[in-house]
Amino acid sequence: MIDLHCHLDLYPDPARMIAQCVERNTYVLSITTVPKAYRHTHQLASGATRIRTALGFHPQLAASRTSELDLFESLLASTSFVGEIGLDGSNEHRSTLPIQRAVFRDILDLCEGAGGKTISIHSRSAVNEVLQSIAPHAASCRLLLHWFVGTPRQVARAAEMGCWFSVGPAMLASARGRASVAAMPPSRVLPESDGPFASLRGEPLKPWDAWLMVPKLADIWGKQDDEVERAMFQNFRSLLSFGIT
Ligand code: MN
């Protein structure tokens, strides 16, 4: 199984969660939310060959953690994976957008300067602005749009730019989420859980629960579950063969 966006360090017992991922042979892109969390989170998974840790700076925390930008910069050379970064224009976080923009722009420039990274991107209520911000970096970075809810036109713009999309069962529980996914090119879609933030029927999702997206995606695409499973592994291989690992 594959989970391209999961906050392993935010479960009550991260070490146990990692051990369970190893037992289940689950590939996980472990997403952090602040630079200070990176070292420890990376360390916890150091023995797990199917887990990679991304260096993050969540837009919802950009204003309170701006002082960690120097730490972000000093850690960047140690990983090929960055995230979660992005912009959040929802009511609760709109007031910090000026700081979010500055942090997002700095990080994208740092990634570009480092020769490109694989980046997991948050775009809630800020889709157009995120697309505009990442466009200049599409040639050097692998852009993985997480929980991307856009119009068919916005999805098409992202796909033309070369973006990938990580899609989870919680996103597919909403009609807007399903409409967004229906517009995505099947060759660019990958599974995510967004656990433990995302939940289904009141239960926080675990990394292997990302796979619950398969039957839902099969419905949308009019395919069999096993065809979708094969497509997810094929997409995963082609994402990782892009150059940087
Ligand atoms: Mn997330």
Side-chain angles (χ1 to χ4, degrees), residues 84-244:
E84 175 166 3
I85 65 166
L87 297 174
D88 191 312
S90 62
N91 287 336
E92 206 184 329
H93 299 284
R94 189 173 298 157
S95 64
T96 64
L97 269 172
I99 302 173
Q100 292 183 42
R101 285 187 189 108
V103 169
F104 189 37
R105 195 180 47 232
D106 282 356
I107 290 177
L108 289 170
D109 287 344
L110 288 169
C111 291
E112 179 92 24
K117 300 284 176 182
T118 297
I119 312 177
S120 186
I121 299 165
H122 176 111
S123 56
R124 185 163 71 152
S125 305
V127 165
N128 282 333
E129 195 175 342
V130 163
L131 292 179
Q132 201 178 333
S133 307
I134 61 179
H137 307 281
S140 67
C141 294
R142 269 181 287 184
L143 305 168
L144 187 51
L145 294 169
H146 136 72
W147 204 315
F148 185 83
V149 179
T151 62
R153 197 186 156 101
Q154 289 167 326
V155 171
R157 186 172 166 213
E160 280 159 26
M161 221 182 266
C163 292
W164 296 75
F165 304 91
S166 58
V167 169
M171 173 180 175
L172 290 171
S174 87
R176 281 185 68 220
R178 286 193 298 273
S180 183
V181 172
M184 295 171 185
S187 63
R188 300 275 186 77
V189 175
L190 287 154
E192 72 166 26
S193 68
D194 200 19
F197 289 135
S199 55
L200 212 56
R201 293 176 212 97
E203 279 293 308
L205 291 168
K206 301 196 172 65
W208 47 90
D209 291 330
W211 217 237
L212 296 172
M213 60 88 84
V214 167
K216 294 169 187 256
L217 204 52
D219 273 351
I220 294 171
W221 288 348
K223 300 225 157 119
Q224 299 298 315
D225 290 5
D226 62 336
E227 290 177 89
V228 174
E229 287 187 7
R230 281 197 299 275
M232 292 303 103
F233 275 103
Q234 177 60 45
N235 292 352
F236 183 55
R237 278 190 295 268
S238 82
L239 171 74
L240 293 182
S241 69
F242 193 90
I244 321 157

